[in-house]
Amino acid sequence: MTTSISRRAFGLISGGAAASLALPGIARAQAKTVTALGHRVHQTSATTGPGGDATEAWRKQSGATVNWVTFGDVNAIHERLLREATLGETTIDVAYLLNGRAVPRNLKLFEPLDALLKDSAIEALDDFAPGLIAPMKLDGALHGIPVRHATNALIYNEAILEERGVSKLPTSFEELAELARKLTFKRDDGTQVNGLAFTAVFASNFLTLARCLGGDYMTPDGKLVANEPGMVKALTLLAEFYKAGVLPRNFATVNNEEITTWMQQGRAAMTINPFARLVTYNDPAKGKYGGRFKSLLPPMASDLAGKVTYAPTTEFWSLVIPKNAKQKPLGWEMIRALSSKAGTLAMALNGNGPTRVSTYTDEKLKAAMPYAADEAAALKASRIHLPAFDEQARAHDIFLEETQAAVLGIKPPQQAMDDAVKRVKPLLG
């Protein structure tokens, strides 16, 4: 996930989803203001677009107003939030927290929600994707409610498949690997086409493929498995891809903006990116392939199909309440409104990644998102790239250093992952 998260761009949709946001049992407050801290896109997706203002019904019923404090940079959000949360008291009532920052030492700064849930429950809590709820728990207590996600998919240009005479999508990882090779070629005009291109700065991108082979860096319970056969096999394949030109020569330095350009220009056939990128890729004003990009959940290796469930990688934002906040009940009511079924749908129509699986069945949303069924299936089975622990960020960087060394041929994949495990193990405490 990039540090500046793009808002999804949907076509014109008849809105009004926010009109159904009235929540029973909300105590009317007397001219109170809830201060909400987050990214600029959080405010716009909650208040502006075809879905309407997801806070409107709640604000009218509670008599509250919302003071949005927003930044355009993820680091700035969390620096402000964590600083505020360590004070004796804060004016921040509700805040957005990215899953990568939801490590134990940070979660301890936020209110456990169990008592609030008991007094005033979240609508259909079991409707949220399980992979988004588990990381927000500490010592069995829930500390945040997921409200926005970006889940990875394999995005491909069906026009290039046709150009190469491919009429059947891969049903196994082995077929996917062969497809990537087949889609690597040079056109008559000299244009080089890479079969696969993705940024090398996110562990989640590598895991999107490695999990097809049963590989991972760490298990959800914190066991290091990076040097086990599945991960090593995935990196061995990627090293072969790099050597053969399936991956671009500047693989280690290419960024997402460049990947977008390559996809739109037909210089890359497949990429690993969140589903939401389909909107940008399919913009007819940005290239001759508008409307030709589709999504695919990477298939499992043939020997694991039916035995191991594929877990797409995901990143997500949750709403939290600082322990030192002054208006916890009112802040909680805002969270209930935004995370309700109606609130989730309203934000989804405004371009937000919905964290409820049921939201994807709405007809208006399906009309705006042709890939809704694929994303719903991916979200339901998704899992974050690394489990939450205090040194997660350092571990992520180490895994990437060693992974890139393996793919670029600097180290044999087994040695690279052995070194990664050796370096990360002391960080687990």
Side-chain angles (χ1 to χ4, degrees):
M1 183 174 286
T2 60
T3 56
S4 182
I5 304 173
S6 298
R7 180 184 174 192
R8 299 186 185 198
F10 291 135
L12 292 176
I13 308 167
S14 56
S20 59
L21 282 178
L23 298 175
I26 298 177
R28 180 169 293 276
Q30 296 247 344
K32 292 187 177 180
T33 298
V34 175
T35 297
L37 173 67
H39 195 281
R40 289 169 190 149
V41 77
H42 296 142
Q43 178 182 5
T44 55
S45 64
T47 61
T48 307
D53 185 344
T55 71
E56 183 177 3
W58 162 71
R59 287 189 290 102
K60 287 181 177 178
Q61 190 169 353
S62 66
T65 59
V66 181
N67 172 37
W68 291 93
V69 178
T70 63
F71 296 88
D73 179 77
V74 171
N75 291 326
I77 296 168
H78 291 99
E79 287 170 7
R80 172 72 180 273
L81 173 59
L82 296 176
R83 182 172 66 250
E84 288 278 344
T86 58
L87 300 175
E89 189 177 83
T90 180
T91 58
I92 303 298
D93 300 302
V94 173
Y96 288 78
L97 183 72
L98 190 62
N99 66 275
R101 309 301 178 94
V103 298
R105 66 171 169 236
N106 291 343
L107 284 183
K108 291 176 182 177
L109 299 172
F110 302 106
E111 187 74 9
L113 303 178
D114 299 64
L116 291 166
L117 278 164
K118 185 177 180 180
D119 291 342
S120 190
I122 291 284
E123 180 184 10
L125 189 61
D126 59 356
D127 188 25
F128 291 91
L132 309 186
I133 291 292
M136 298 309 298
K137 289 187 175 182
L138 179 64
D139 298 327
L142 185 63
H143 284 69
I145 303 298
V147 288
R148 179 184 177 89
H149 80 93
T151 298
N152 270 356
L154 191 70
I155 298 176
Y156 65 93
N157 185 338
E158 63 180 359
I160 297 181
L161 270 67
E162 293 171 2
E163 184 179 354
R164 298 295 287 164
V166 177
S167 58
K168 179 178 175 291
L169 291 176
T171 57
S172 69
F173 186 78
E174 292 81 2
E175 290 180 358
L176 176 60
E178 287 306 309
L179 177 62
R181 293 187 179 97
K182 187 173 181 63
L183 298 179
T184 301
F185 66 102
K186 185 172 287 188
R187 293 195 175 96
D188 293 341
D189 63 3
T191 301
Q192 177 64 49
V193 179
N194 296 109
L196 178 66
F198 61 89
T199 60
V201 297
F202 302 118
S204 58
N205 289 344
F206 294 100
L207 293 178
T208 295
L209 298 178
R211 288 178 179 176
C212 296
L213 296 165
D216 221 322
Y217 291 125
M218 297 176 69
T219 61
D221 60 358
K223 179 184 176 184
L224 286 164
V225 293
N227 59 348
E228 294 186 5
M231 193 72 210
V232 173
K233 187 175 180 180
L235 295 184
T236 300
L237 175 67
L238 287 173
E240 293 172 1
F241 277 1
Y242 181 71
K243 189 174 182 179
V246 176
L247 294 172
R249 298 310 302 170
N250 61 340
F251 171 71
T253 58
V254 65
N255 60 43
N256 252 337
E257 286 67 31
E258 291 173 298
I259 296 292
T260 296
T261 299
W262 292 357
M263 292 293 286
Q264 291 172 327
Q265 292 178 348
R267 294 166 53 198
M270 296 189 293
T271 187
I272 297 167
N273 249 307
F275 283 90
R277 285 275 170 172
L278 281 164
V279 177
T280 301
Y281 293 165
N282 279 319
D283 184 346
K286 300 296 178 61
K288 65 179 181 179
Y289 297 104
R292 302 306 305 275
F293 293 97
K294 301 293 174 61
S295 60
L296 173 70
L297 281 182
M300 293 294 293
S302 55
D303 62 333
L304 297 177
K307 301 175 184 176
V308 178
T309 301
Y310 178 68
T313 55
T314 190
E315 290 198 87
F316 65 97
W317 292 86
S318 295
L319 285 170
V320 295
I321 298 175
K323 276 187 176 179
N324 57 350
K326 296 182 291 184
Q327 302 183 105
K328 294 175 187 176
L330 192 60
W332 177 242
E333 294 303 341
M334 179 177 172
I335 293 177
R336 289 183 69 238
L338 289 175
S339 64
S340 67
K341 287 186 177 182
T344 301
L345 174 59
M347 291 190 296
L349 293 174
N350 292 343
N352 196 58
T355 51
R356 289 179 176 273
V357 177
S358 69
T359 306
Y360 288 93
T361 64
D362 181 81
E363 293 302 322
K364 291 192 294 293
L365 191 64
K366 288 194 290 186
M369 292 170 51
Y371 53 90
D374 286 345
E375 187 172 45
L379 175 64
K380 191 172 183 179
S382 66
R383 179 158 48 87
I384 57 176
H385 60 296
L386 294 176
F389 58 101
D390 287 339
E391 297 297 334
Q392 183 200 74
R394 287 181 61 193
H396 177 273
D397 291 344
I398 290 170
F399 282 129
L400 280 183
E401 288 173 14
E402 299 294 348
T403 293
Q404 291 182 22
V407 175
L408 298 177
I410 298 170
K411 291 183 181 182
Q414 185 68 62
Q415 180 189 336
M417 290 298 97
D418 285 341
D419 290 347
V421 168
K422 187 182 298 184
R423 294 174 64 191
V424 170
K425 193 172 183 179
L427 303 180
L428 299 179

